[in-house]
Amino acid sequence: AQKAAAGDLAGAYLELETSIAFAQILARGGVLIHALVEISCDMQACKSMRLIALQNEVPPDVASHAVKRLREASRTVEPLAETLRSEYRVVPGIVDMFFNPSKPSILGPIQDEKSAASEHRFRSTVRDFGWLVGSTRPVVKANLARVYKCLIKASDEPYQVQKMQYLEKSLVPPIKPMDRLLLHDPFGYILAKILLPVYPGIIVRYHRRATDLAGTAAVIAIREFEQAEHRPPTSLQELVPKYMPDIPLDPFDGAPLRYHIRPDGKWIVYSVGPNQIDEGGEQTKGDPRNYTDSGDVVFCECEVDVARERNRRQAK
């Protein structure tokens, strides 16, 4: 930010590109928390790169280099499936801890003594009587392995909103009160219910980060085109091959990113987003990690106005 304010756009972009590269090194071969740090870092860096491009005349060599680095970063991101495989390696230890009430809480430090005592009693019950209802350690581990196998498969294949629905609603379905006596491995069910809810949102966020990398490259290329031609491109194809080697694909449906010029003259680049419905560049009004919310993931020259309004509200 200091370098951009001082007019050193090359230096500002170099630091942002370095932050993306460093975050990827940090996350390589790590567990889920490392991937989440990488995703957050990449998205923040992308946002800064877009705002600099939209507010300044970025030198052509700097813009071209940034587009190249963003495309490289998109190709070298570690697959989420690999991260989940690393995450699954600690699951047997979690199960062993679940069956051992002398170990620390599986939910982290519990300050409330009543809650800690309640969890201790529950884990003692699991250890002493779990086998009566089918919840032995091997059975719990096998059932959690099935859950992780589905998560890894969903992460390893092209994104589909139906897969998110399956993970959230069908993989570990809710049970009715009368089903409890018929449920095999109730303790494995409870563990799966604790672990599973966060993962659909993480898968969406992983693809949203890929969308940010692709969309930011397109925004910088469009701005480079505008500076040279004194007009916006009529289509993204006009950017190829001088400003971009090809049109980036939408991580949410595999088609090229969409582009059009609005009636007010402002251009937008957009992805269909987590719900996989092309809504013509209508921005989401909900949580961008929620696959059920309407709206597209939009990159627009009006992003500067949005950021300025947000800063104004925060200052107020």
Side-chain angles (χ1 to χ4, degrees):
Q2 292 172 346
K3 289 188 175 183
D8 181 9
L9 302 185
Y13 265 40
L14 178 61
E15 290 195 355
L16 290 164
E17 293 161 13
T18 302
S19 75
I20 292 175
F22 183 81
Q24 291 190 343
I25 292 170
L26 173 69
R28 183 68 58 180
V31 292
L32 195 59
I33 186 64
H34 298 146
L36 292 174
V37 169
E38 178 194 8
I39 289 169
S40 296
C41 180
D42 286 358
M43 293 178 73
Q44 287 291 334
C46 285
K47 180 180 177 182
S48 296
M49 293 177 86
R50 293 195 302 273
L51 290 176
I52 289 173
L54 292 168
Q55 292 176 295
N56 300 275
E57 296 283 321
V58 179
D61 59 328
V62 174
S64 298
H65 183 74
V67 170
K68 180 181 177 182
R69 290 294 299 271
L70 285 165
R71 301 303 301 278
E72 289 174 353
S74 184
R75 289 191 295 269
T76 55
V77 166
E78 184 169 67
L80 184 59
E82 289 302 314
T83 302
L84 292 179
R85 288 187 184 101
S86 298
E87 188 80 4
Y88 173 65
R89 294 187 188 107
V90 306
V91 170
I94 292 176
V95 174
D96 290 337
M97 190 180 297
F98 193 74
F99 277 84
N100 189 346
S102 66
K103 296 289 185 179
S105 168
I106 60 171
L107 301 177
I110 298 180
Q111 304 297 331
D112 180 9
E113 292 185 5
K114 184 177 179 180
S115 298
S118 177
E119 187 191 344
H120 184 274
R121 286 194 301 271
F122 179 74
R123 289 162 69 186
S124 297
T125 302
V126 172
R127 179 195 59 192
D128 297 335
F129 302 106
W131 62 274
L132 290 172
V133 290
S135 290
T136 62
R137 291 191 197 199
V139 169
V140 173
K141 289 178 182 179
N143 283 332
L144 287 182
R146 179 181 64 84
V147 170
Y148 267 87
K149 183 178 180 181
C150 291
L151 289 171
I152 291 167
K153 187 173 185 292
S155 304
D156 214 15
E157 297 177 347
Y159 176 90
Q160 286 186 352
V161 68
Q162 293 87 348
K163 291 178 184 177
M164 299 303 102
Q165 293 169 339
Y166 172 74
L167 292 177
E168 189 170 69
K169 298 177 182 178
S170 303
L171 181 57
V172 185
I175 57 173
K176 301 174 183 178
M178 294 303 294
D179 294 336
R180 295 186 187 278
L181 294 177
L182 303 176
L183 179 69
H184 299 292
D185 185 21
F187 300 124
Y189 177 89
I190 291 170
L191 266 180
K193 274 296 189 185
I194 292 172
L195 293 170
L196 185 62
V198 300
Y199 286 98
I202 290 171
I203 293 172
V204 168
R205 190 167 174 79
Y206 178 86
H207 285 82
R208 173 63 197 271
R209 180 266 304 273
T211 305
D212 268 37
L213 289 168
T216 302
V219 166
I220 295 172
I222 291 169
R223 288 290 295 142
E224 187 182 1
F225 180 97
E226 284 185 316
Q227 289 166 198
E229 305 293 335
H230 308 291
R231 65 174 177 86
T234 56
S235 71
L236 291 182
Q237 194 60 48
E238 264 198 282
L239 304 174
V240 179
K242 184 176 180 180
Y243 303 99
M244 278 198 304
D246 51 26
I247 301 174
L249 299 180
D250 184 343
F252 284 108
D253 71 351
L257 287 176
R258 282 78 168 169
Y259 169 87
H260 70 249
I261 298 176
R262 301 189 316 192
D264 63 2
K266 294 185 181 294
W267 53 260
I268 65 169
V269 178
Y270 70 95
S271 152
V272 295
N275 65 3
Q276 293 190 306
I277 299 173
D278 185 346
E279 295 165 277
E282 181 69 28
Q283 296 200 51
T284 179
K285 296 179 174 59
D287 186 341
R289 294 169 293 182
N290 192 342
Y291 67 84
T292 60
D293 286 344
S294 61
D296 300 320
V297 178
V298 179
F299 307 96
C300 175
E301 52 184 322
C302 60
E303 195 169 350
V304 173
D305 299 329
V306 174
R308 190 178 294 120
E309 176 62 21
R310 184 184 302 112
N311 292 337
R312 188 190 66 79
R313 289 198 306 268
Q314 289 175 347
K316 186 177 180 180

